[in-house]
Amino acid sequence: MKFKKQLAGLQAYKPGRTMEEVKKQFGLNQVIKLASNENPLGSSPKVREYLATQSIDFALYPDGYAQTIRDAVAEHLNVKPTQLIFGNGSDEVILLIARALLSPEVNTIAADITFSQYAHNAKIEGADFIAVALNEDGTHDLETMLQKVTDQTAVVWICNPNNPTGSLTPSSAIYSFLQQAPKDVLVVVDEAYFEYVDAEDYINPIQWLEEFPNLLILRTFSKAYGLAAFRIGYGIGSEQVIAQLEPTREPFNNTTLSQDVAQVALQDQQFIAHTVEQNKQEKQRYVAFCEKHGLRYFPTQTNFILIDIEQDSDETFQYLMSKGYIVRSGNALGLPGTLRITIGTPEQNKGLLQELEQLVLKQKV
Protein backbone atom coordinates (compact mmCIF):
# COMPACT_ATOMS: atom_id res chain seq x y z
CA MET A 1 0.00 0.00 0.00
CA LYS A 2 1.05 3.53 -0.75
CA PHE A 3 1.62 5.01 2.71
CA LYS A 4 3.58 8.24 2.97
CA LYS A 5 7.27 7.39 3.02
CA GLN A 6 7.81 9.73 5.97
CA LEU A 7 5.68 7.45 8.16
CA ALA A 8 8.41 4.81 8.10
CA GLY A 9 9.87 4.50 11.59
CA LEU A 10 7.40 6.93 13.19
CA GLN A 11 5.63 5.74 16.33
CA ALA A 12 2.38 6.85 17.89
CA TYR A 13 2.54 9.11 20.93
CA LYS A 14 3.26 7.04 24.02
CA PRO A 15 1.46 8.31 27.12
CA GLY A 16 2.65 7.40 30.59
CA ARG A 17 1.67 4.18 32.33
CA THR A 18 -1.92 3.96 33.52
CA MET A 19 -2.70 3.52 37.19
CA GLU A 20 -4.41 0.19 36.55
CA GLU A 21 -1.35 -1.16 34.73
CA VAL A 22 0.92 -0.21 37.62
CA LYS A 23 -1.43 -1.64 40.24
CA LYS A 24 -1.47 -4.95 38.40
CA GLN A 25 2.30 -5.05 37.79
CA PHE A 26 3.33 -4.32 41.38
CA GLY A 27 0.35 -5.68 43.27
CA LEU A 28 -0.59 -2.28 44.66
CA ASN A 29 -3.95 -1.16 45.99
CA GLN A 30 -3.29 2.54 45.46
CA VAL A 31 -1.29 4.34 42.80
CA ILE A 32 -0.74 8.09 42.44
CA LYS A 33 -0.16 9.43 38.95
CA LEU A 34 2.15 12.45 38.80
CA ALA A 35 3.31 11.98 35.21
CA SER A 36 0.95 13.80 32.84
CA ASN A 37 0.56 17.24 34.44
CA GLU A 38 -3.11 16.79 35.21
CA ASN A 39 -4.81 18.84 37.92
CA PRO A 40 -4.58 16.81 41.17
CA LEU A 41 -7.67 18.66 42.45
CA GLY A 42 -9.73 17.41 39.53
CA SER A 43 -12.11 19.92 38.00
CA SER A 44 -14.55 22.50 39.30
CA PRO A 45 -17.26 21.08 41.58
CA LYS A 46 -19.72 22.87 39.28
CA VAL A 47 -18.72 20.47 36.51
CA ARG A 48 -19.72 17.46 38.60
CA GLU A 49 -23.00 19.16 39.52
CA TYR A 50 -23.69 19.80 35.85
CA LEU A 51 -22.92 16.20 34.83
CA ALA A 52 -25.22 14.89 37.55
CA THR A 53 -28.20 16.94 36.46
CA GLN A 54 -27.99 17.33 32.68
CA SER A 55 -29.23 14.96 30.01
CA ILE A 56 -28.03 14.99 26.42
CA ASP A 57 -29.62 13.53 23.30
CA PHE A 58 -26.79 11.24 22.21
CA ALA A 59 -28.33 10.72 18.76
CA LEU A 60 -27.68 14.31 17.71
CA TYR A 61 -24.43 15.68 16.33
CA PRO A 62 -22.73 18.40 18.37
CA ASP A 63 -22.57 21.99 17.22
CA GLY A 64 -19.80 21.81 14.65
CA TYR A 65 -18.85 25.45 15.19
CA ALA A 66 -18.91 25.14 19.01
CA GLN A 67 -20.78 28.43 19.14
CA THR A 68 -21.67 28.46 22.84
CA ILE A 69 -18.19 27.74 24.21
CA ARG A 70 -16.74 29.93 21.44
CA ASP A 71 -18.76 32.90 22.63
CA ALA A 72 -17.93 32.19 26.28
CA VAL A 73 -14.18 32.00 25.66
CA ALA A 74 -14.27 35.07 23.41
CA GLU A 75 -15.96 37.07 26.17
CA HIS A 76 -13.54 35.73 28.80
CA LEU A 77 -10.51 36.71 26.72
CA ASN A 78 -12.01 39.87 25.20
CA VAL A 79 -11.49 38.70 21.62
CA LYS A 80 -13.88 38.12 18.73
CA PRO A 81 -15.44 34.65 18.36
CA THR A 82 -13.96 34.57 14.85
CA GLN A 83 -10.48 34.78 16.41
CA LEU A 84 -10.84 31.30 17.92
CA ILE A 85 -10.44 27.77 16.61
CA PHE A 86 -11.33 24.75 18.76
CA GLY A 87 -9.67 21.37 18.71
CA ASN A 88 -9.90 17.95 20.30
CA GLY A 89 -7.34 19.17 22.80
CA SER A 90 -4.72 21.71 21.76
CA ASP A 91 -2.92 18.66 20.29
CA GLU A 92 -5.40 18.71 17.44
CA VAL A 93 -4.89 22.41 16.84
CA ILE A 94 -1.18 21.63 16.42
CA LEU A 95 -2.15 18.96 13.90
CA LEU A 96 -4.40 21.43 12.04
CA ILE A 97 -1.58 23.96 11.82
CA ALA A 98 0.73 21.31 10.40
CA ARG A 99 -1.94 20.16 7.98
CA ALA A 100 -2.55 23.70 6.74
CA LEU A 101 1.03 24.98 6.50
CA LEU A 102 3.59 22.17 6.38
CA SER A 103 4.75 20.19 3.36
CA PRO A 104 8.00 18.84 1.86
CA GLU A 105 8.59 22.27 0.33
CA VAL A 106 8.90 24.11 3.67
CA ASN A 107 10.59 23.89 7.05
CA THR A 108 9.48 24.49 10.62
CA ILE A 109 11.51 25.51 13.68
CA ALA A 110 11.21 24.61 17.37
CA ALA A 111 13.37 23.89 20.38
CA ASP A 112 15.18 20.56 20.54
CA ILE A 113 13.68 19.69 23.94
CA THR A 114 10.02 20.68 23.84
CA PHE A 115 6.55 19.23 23.22
CA SER A 116 7.03 16.26 20.90
CA GLN A 117 4.01 16.85 18.68
CA TYR A 118 5.60 19.77 16.83
CA ALA A 119 8.27 17.51 15.35
CA HIS A 120 5.93 14.54 15.01
CA ASN A 121 3.40 16.38 12.86
CA ALA A 122 6.14 18.04 10.82
CA LYS A 123 7.55 14.63 9.93
CA ILE A 124 4.14 13.31 8.90
CA GLU A 125 3.73 16.25 6.52
CA GLY A 126 7.25 15.75 5.16
CA ALA A 127 8.48 19.17 6.29
CA ASP A 128 12.07 19.75 7.32
CA PHE A 129 12.15 20.07 11.12
CA ILE A 130 14.88 22.36 12.48
CA ALA A 131 15.62 21.88 16.18
CA VAL A 132 17.40 24.61 18.14
CA ALA A 133 19.00 23.84 21.50
CA LEU A 134 17.40 25.40 24.55
CA ASN A 135 19.25 27.89 26.69
CA GLU A 136 20.86 26.43 29.80
CA ASP A 137 17.91 27.53 31.93
CA GLY A 138 15.45 25.67 29.70
CA THR A 139 14.11 28.74 27.88
CA HIS A 140 14.01 29.19 24.12
CA ASP A 141 17.07 30.53 22.32
CA LEU A 142 15.03 32.90 20.17
CA GLU A 143 18.06 34.65 18.69
CA THR A 144 19.32 31.41 17.18
CA MET A 145 15.80 30.40 16.14
CA LEU A 146 15.47 33.69 14.27
CA GLN A 147 18.79 33.08 12.53
CA LYS A 148 17.45 29.72 11.31
CA VAL A 149 14.42 31.31 9.62
CA THR A 150 14.64 31.23 5.82
CA ASP A 151 12.31 31.90 2.90
CA GLN A 152 11.17 28.28 3.27
CA THR A 153 10.14 28.60 6.93
CA ALA A 154 6.39 28.23 7.47
CA VAL A 155 5.95 27.85 11.25
CA VAL A 156 7.98 28.61 14.38
CA TRP A 157 6.87 26.93 17.62
CA ILE A 158 7.46 28.54 21.03
CA CYS A 159 6.23 26.43 23.93
CA ASN A 160 5.86 28.87 26.81
CA PRO A 161 6.22 27.81 29.55
CA ASN A 162 8.18 25.04 27.94
CA ASN A 163 7.33 21.37 28.37
CA PRO A 164 9.28 19.51 29.79
CA THR A 165 11.51 22.13 31.46
CA GLY A 166 8.74 24.35 32.82
CA SER A 167 10.85 27.41 31.99
CA LEU A 168 9.26 30.68 30.90
CA THR A 169 10.86 32.50 27.99
CA PRO A 170 10.65 36.25 28.75
CA SER A 171 7.78 38.07 27.07
CA SER A 172 10.19 40.79 25.96
CA ALA A 173 12.22 38.22 24.00
CA ILE A 174 9.11 36.85 22.30
CA TYR A 175 7.93 40.35 21.40
CA SER A 176 11.33 41.14 19.90
CA PHE A 177 11.20 37.88 17.93
CA LEU A 178 7.78 38.79 16.52
CA GLN A 179 9.07 42.21 15.49
CA GLN A 180 11.89 40.65 13.49
CA ALA A 181 10.26 37.50 12.13
CA PRO A 182 8.98 37.60 8.53
CA LYS A 183 5.27 38.38 8.41
CA ASP A 184 4.57 35.28 6.29
CA VAL A 185 5.89 32.95 9.03
CA LEU A 186 3.30 31.75 11.53
CA VAL A 187 4.62 32.09 15.09
CA VAL A 188 2.81 29.71 17.44
CA VAL A 189 3.06 30.43 21.17
CA ASP A 190 1.81 27.32 22.96
CA GLU A 191 0.51 28.36 26.39
CA ALA A 192 -0.94 25.09 27.70
CA TYR A 193 0.17 26.08 31.23
CA PHE A 194 -0.84 29.73 30.96
CA GLU A 195 -2.98 29.74 34.12
CA TYR A 196 -0.02 28.77 36.32
CA VAL A 197 2.26 31.60 35.20
CA ASP A 198 2.91 34.18 37.91
CA ALA A 199 6.12 35.82 36.67
CA GLU A 200 5.98 39.59 37.17
CA ASP A 201 7.41 40.31 33.72
CA TYR A 202 4.95 38.05 31.86
CA ILE A 203 2.83 39.83 29.25
CA ASN A 204 -0.29 38.19 27.86
CA PRO A 205 0.44 37.84 24.11
CA ILE A 206 -3.24 38.28 23.23
CA GLN A 207 -2.62 42.03 23.35
CA TRP A 208 -0.11 41.64 20.50
CA LEU A 209 -2.51 40.04 18.01
CA GLU A 210 -3.49 43.27 16.30
CA GLU A 211 0.15 44.21 15.79
CA PHE A 212 1.22 40.72 14.68
CA PRO A 213 -1.42 38.96 12.53
CA ASN A 214 1.03 36.05 12.11
CA LEU A 215 0.82 35.20 15.83
CA LEU A 216 -1.25 32.22 17.01
CA ILE A 217 -1.67 31.38 20.72
CA LEU A 218 -2.65 27.91 21.95
CA ARG A 219 -4.44 27.17 25.23
CA THR A 220 -6.31 24.24 26.72
CA PHE A 221 -8.89 23.10 29.26
CA SER A 222 -6.82 19.98 30.00
CA LYS A 223 -4.43 21.37 32.62
CA ALA A 224 -5.58 23.93 35.21
CA TYR A 225 -9.26 23.37 34.38
CA GLY A 226 -8.89 19.63 34.99
CA LEU A 227 -10.82 18.58 31.88
CA ALA A 228 -8.21 16.41 30.14
CA ALA A 229 -10.73 13.59 29.62
CA PHE A 230 -12.99 15.91 27.62
CA ARG A 231 -10.29 16.87 25.10
CA ILE A 232 -10.91 20.51 24.36
CA GLY A 233 -8.29 23.11 23.48
CA TYR A 234 -8.21 26.17 21.29
CA GLY A 235 -6.16 28.62 19.29
CA ILE A 236 -6.39 32.42 19.41
CA GLY A 237 -5.26 34.42 16.42
CA SER A 238 -6.11 36.96 13.77
CA GLU A 239 -9.36 36.44 11.90
CA GLN A 240 -7.36 35.90 8.72
CA VAL A 241 -5.28 33.06 10.18
CA ILE A 242 -8.27 31.39 11.86
CA ALA A 243 -10.25 31.54 8.60
CA GLN A 244 -7.40 29.72 6.81
CA LEU A 245 -7.17 27.04 9.50
CA GLU A 246 -10.90 26.32 9.84
CA PRO A 247 -11.24 24.27 6.62
CA THR A 248 -8.66 21.78 7.95
CA ARG A 249 -10.79 21.01 11.02
CA GLU A 250 -13.03 17.95 11.14
CA PRO A 251 -16.77 18.82 11.04
CA PHE A 252 -17.66 17.75 14.62
CA ASN A 253 -14.33 17.65 16.46
CA ASN A 254 -15.66 18.72 19.88
CA THR A 255 -18.41 16.71 21.52
CA THR A 256 -21.59 18.25 22.89
CA LEU A 257 -20.51 17.24 26.39
CA SER A 258 -17.02 18.73 26.08
CA GLN A 259 -18.41 22.05 24.87
CA ASP A 260 -20.94 22.25 27.69
CA VAL A 261 -18.54 21.16 30.42
CA ALA A 262 -15.85 23.62 29.29
CA GLN A 263 -18.36 26.45 29.50
CA VAL A 264 -19.30 25.46 33.06
CA ALA A 265 -15.64 25.19 34.08
CA LEU A 266 -14.80 28.56 32.56
CA GLN A 267 -17.36 30.24 34.81
CA ASP A 268 -15.67 28.98 37.99
CA GLN A 269 -12.58 31.17 38.13
CA GLN A 270 -12.54 30.76 41.92
CA PHE A 271 -11.59 27.11 41.38
CA ILE A 272 -8.79 28.14 39.02
CA ALA A 273 -7.47 30.63 41.59
CA HIS A 274 -7.52 27.91 44.26
CA THR A 275 -5.73 25.48 41.92
CA VAL A 276 -3.02 28.01 41.10
CA GLU A 277 -2.47 29.00 44.73
CA GLN A 278 -2.09 25.41 45.95
CA ASN A 279 0.24 24.63 43.06
CA LYS A 280 2.37 27.66 43.97
CA GLN A 281 2.65 26.56 47.59
CA GLU A 282 3.43 22.93 46.77
CA LYS A 283 5.97 23.93 44.14
CA GLN A 284 8.02 25.41 46.96
CA ARG A 285 8.09 22.01 48.65
CA TYR A 286 9.94 20.61 45.63
CA VAL A 287 12.24 23.61 45.41
CA ALA A 288 13.15 23.21 49.09
CA PHE A 289 13.79 19.49 48.56
CA CYS A 290 16.15 20.18 45.65
CA GLU A 291 18.04 22.87 47.52
CA LYS A 292 18.32 20.70 50.64
CA HIS A 293 19.95 17.89 48.64
CA GLY A 294 21.90 20.04 46.18
CA LEU A 295 19.91 18.84 43.15
CA ARG A 296 19.69 20.96 40.01
CA TYR A 297 16.18 21.83 38.92
CA PHE A 298 14.62 24.08 36.32
CA PRO A 299 12.68 27.08 37.68
CA THR A 300 9.13 26.28 36.68
CA GLN A 301 6.08 28.35 35.83
CA THR A 302 3.89 25.28 35.44
CA ASN A 303 2.30 22.52 37.52
CA PHE A 304 5.34 20.26 37.12
CA ILE A 305 9.03 20.41 37.91
CA LEU A 306 12.03 18.88 36.13
CA ILE A 307 14.72 17.67 38.53
CA ASP A 308 18.21 16.38 37.79
CA ILE A 309 18.32 13.43 40.18
CA GLU A 310 21.92 12.48 39.33
CA GLN A 311 20.83 8.86 38.85
CA ASP A 312 19.53 6.68 36.05
CA SER A 313 16.13 8.10 35.14
CA ASP A 314 14.53 4.82 34.19
CA GLU A 315 15.73 3.02 37.31
CA THR A 316 14.39 5.81 39.52
CA PHE A 317 11.15 5.83 37.54
CA GLN A 318 10.76 2.08 38.07
CA TYR A 319 11.56 2.33 41.78
CA LEU A 320 9.00 5.09 42.38
CA MET A 321 6.44 3.15 40.37
CA SER A 322 6.97 0.11 42.58
CA LYS A 323 6.13 2.37 45.54
CA GLY A 324 2.93 3.56 43.88
CA TYR A 325 4.08 6.81 42.27
CA ILE A 326 4.05 7.28 38.49
CA VAL A 327 6.31 10.10 37.25
CA ARG A 328 7.95 10.78 33.87
CA SER A 329 11.46 9.54 33.14
CA GLY A 330 13.74 12.10 31.53
CA ASN A 331 14.97 9.42 29.14
CA ALA A 332 11.62 9.62 27.38
CA LEU A 333 11.92 13.41 27.16
CA GLY A 334 15.45 13.69 25.80
CA LEU A 335 16.88 14.65 29.19
CA PRO A 336 18.48 11.55 30.74
CA GLY A 337 19.21 11.78 34.43
CA THR A 338 16.09 13.82 35.15
CA LEU A 339 12.55 13.25 36.34
CA ARG A 340 9.54 15.36 35.40
CA ILE A 341 7.12 15.32 38.32
CA THR A 342 3.61 16.73 38.30
CA ILE A 343 2.99 18.81 41.42
CA GLY A 344 0.26 16.97 43.31
CA THR A 345 -1.67 17.51 46.50
CA PRO A 346 0.22 18.12 49.77
CA GLU A 347 -0.24 14.50 50.80
CA GLN A 348 0.86 13.15 47.41
CA ASN A 349 3.94 15.35 47.28
CA LYS A 350 4.96 14.48 50.82
CA GLY A 351 4.78 10.76 50.10
CA LEU A 352 6.67 10.93 46.82
CA LEU A 353 9.44 13.09 48.22
CA GLN A 354 9.90 10.73 51.14
CA GLU A 355 10.53 7.89 48.68
CA LEU A 356 12.77 10.03 46.47
CA GLU A 357 14.79 11.17 49.47
CA GLN A 358 15.64 7.56 50.29
CA LEU A 359 17.16 7.16 46.83
CA VAL A 360 19.06 10.45 47.00
CA LEU A 361 20.56 9.66 50.40
CA LYS A 362 21.52 6.16 49.31
CA GLN A 363 23.30 7.62 46.28
CA LYS A 364 25.39 9.89 48.51
CA VAL A 365 26.56 7.12 50.84
Side-chain angles (χ1 to χ4, degrees):
M1 288 180 279
K2 301 177 179 63
F3 289 106
K4 289 181 175 180
K5 62 181 181 180
Q6 53 263 34
L7 293 179
L10 278 186
Q11 296 183 347
Y13 179 80
K14 293 182 178 180
R17 300 286 297 278
T18 67
M19 291 186 286
E20 290 305 314
E21 287 175 334
V22 175
K23 284 181 182 179
K24 184 176 180 180
Q25 180 181 353
F26 294 100
L28 299 169
N29 294 321
Q30 180 180 353
V31 169
I32 295 168
K33 184 184 177 190
L34 298 174
S36 300
N37 308 332
E38 295 135 332
N39 188 338
L41 301 178
S43 57
S44 165
K46 294 182 180 180
V47 168
R48 297 189 180 279
E49 293 172 10
Y50 173 84
L51 293 173
T53 59
Q54 295 298 313
S55 61
I56 294 174
D57 189 341
F58 301 129
L60 301 180
Y61 282 107
D63 173 7
Y65 193 58
Q67 189 69 62
T68 303
I69 183 59
R70 179 183 298 274
D71 289 342
V73 171
E75 182 179 358
H76 180 68
L77 299 179
N78 194 29
V79 299
K80 298 177 183 177
T82 46
Q83 289 183 264
L84 300 170
I85 184 168
F86 285 82
N88 191 252
S90 56
D91 303 318
E92 190 191 24
V93 184
I94 293 169
L95 183 151
L96 298 180
I97 295 166
R99 187 178 184 185
L101 287 145
L102 301 185
S103 69
E105 289 74 41
V106 302
N107 68 53
T108 182
I109 302 169
D112 61 339
I113 306 295
T114 192
F115 188 45
S116 62
Q117 293 304 289
Y118 311 144
H120 183 80
N121 283 290
K123 291 173 183 175
I124 290 175
E125 300 300 335
D128 183 22
F129 183 79
I130 300 173
V132 175
L134 291 170
N135 293 318
E136 189 174 345
D137 62 358
T139 60
H140 287 67
D141 182 355
L142 294 181
E143 291 185 8
T144 300
M145 292 175 76
L146 185 64
Q147 293 171 7
K148 297 292 183 180
V149 173
T150 68
D151 290 342
Q152 285 71 49
T153 302
V155 183
V156 175
W157 308 88
I158 303 172
C159 186
N160 202 45
N162 187 45
N163 180 12
T165 62
S167 305
L168 185 73
T169 299
S171 296
S172 58
I174 296 176
Y175 183 79
S176 177
F177 182 91
L178 287 164
Q179 285 181 309
Q180 299 175 75
K183 301 310 176 188
D184 63 348
V185 173
L186 184 68
V187 179
V188 180
V189 179
D190 187 346
E191 293 193 321
Y193 301 93
F194 157 76
E195 289 82 6
Y196 293 103
V197 174
D198 62 4
E200 292 183 359
D201 59 351
Y202 169 79
I203 299 172
N204 191 328
I206 289 177
Q207 64 184 272
W208 300 336
L209 286 171
E210 186 172 348
E211 183 177 359
F212 303 110
N214 59 324
L215 168 64
L216 185 69
I217 303 154
L218 304 186
R219 292 187 183 165
T220 182
F221 283 94
S222 295
K223 304 303 181 183
Y225 284 92
L227 300 180
F230 289 95
R231 310 307 303 125
I232 184 163
Y234 56 97
I236 317 154
S238 67
E239 291 179 283
Q240 301 94 317
V241 166
I242 298 300
Q244 290 292 315
L245 291 176
E246 277 288 355
T248 68
R249 183 178 57 78
E250 295 300 317
F252 305 103
N253 61 332
N254 291 123
T255 67
T256 299
L257 199 55
S258 67
Q259 293 176 38
D260 290 351
V261 164
Q263 184 182 4
V264 172
L266 188 66
Q267 294 170 354
D268 192 357
Q269 289 302 308
Q270 185 176 352
F271 172 78
I272 297 300
H274 174 58
T275 288
V276 171
E277 181 57 32
Q278 176 170 292
N279 181 80
K280 183 177 181 179
Q281 292 178 8
E282 288 303 299
K283 179 166 58 177
Q284 292 308 309
R285 187 193 295 264
Y286 283 91
V287 169
F289 175 87
C290 292
E291 293 180 348
K292 174 184 176 181
H293 295 289
L295 299 176
R296 178 174 176 255
Y297 64 94
F298 288 85
T300 178
Q301 288 280 304
T302 65
N303 67 336
F304 63 83
I305 187 166
L306 186 72
I307 301 173
D308 185 348
I309 54 169
E310 301 176 353
Q311 299 184 40
D312 184 277
S313 295
D314 286 346
E315 289 182 5
T316 307
F317 163 76
Q318 289 290 337
Y319 171 80
L320 290 174
M321 202 159 48
S322 73
K323 299 298 182 180
Y325 295 94
I326 309 174
V327 297
R328 193 75 158 154
S329 169
N331 285 349
L333 304 169
L335 289 165
T338 67
L339 291 180
R340 192 191 69 187
I341 304 172
T342 303
I343 298 167
T345 64
E347 183 180 5
Q348 291 170 346
N349 298 327
K350 180 181 178 181
L352 182 143
L353 288 174
Q354 284 176 345
E355 297 293 348
L356 190 57
E357 187 167 44
Q358 297 301 313
L359 283 180
V360 172
L361 294 175
K362 187 182 297 183
Q363 177 77 5
K364 292 183 177 181
V365 173

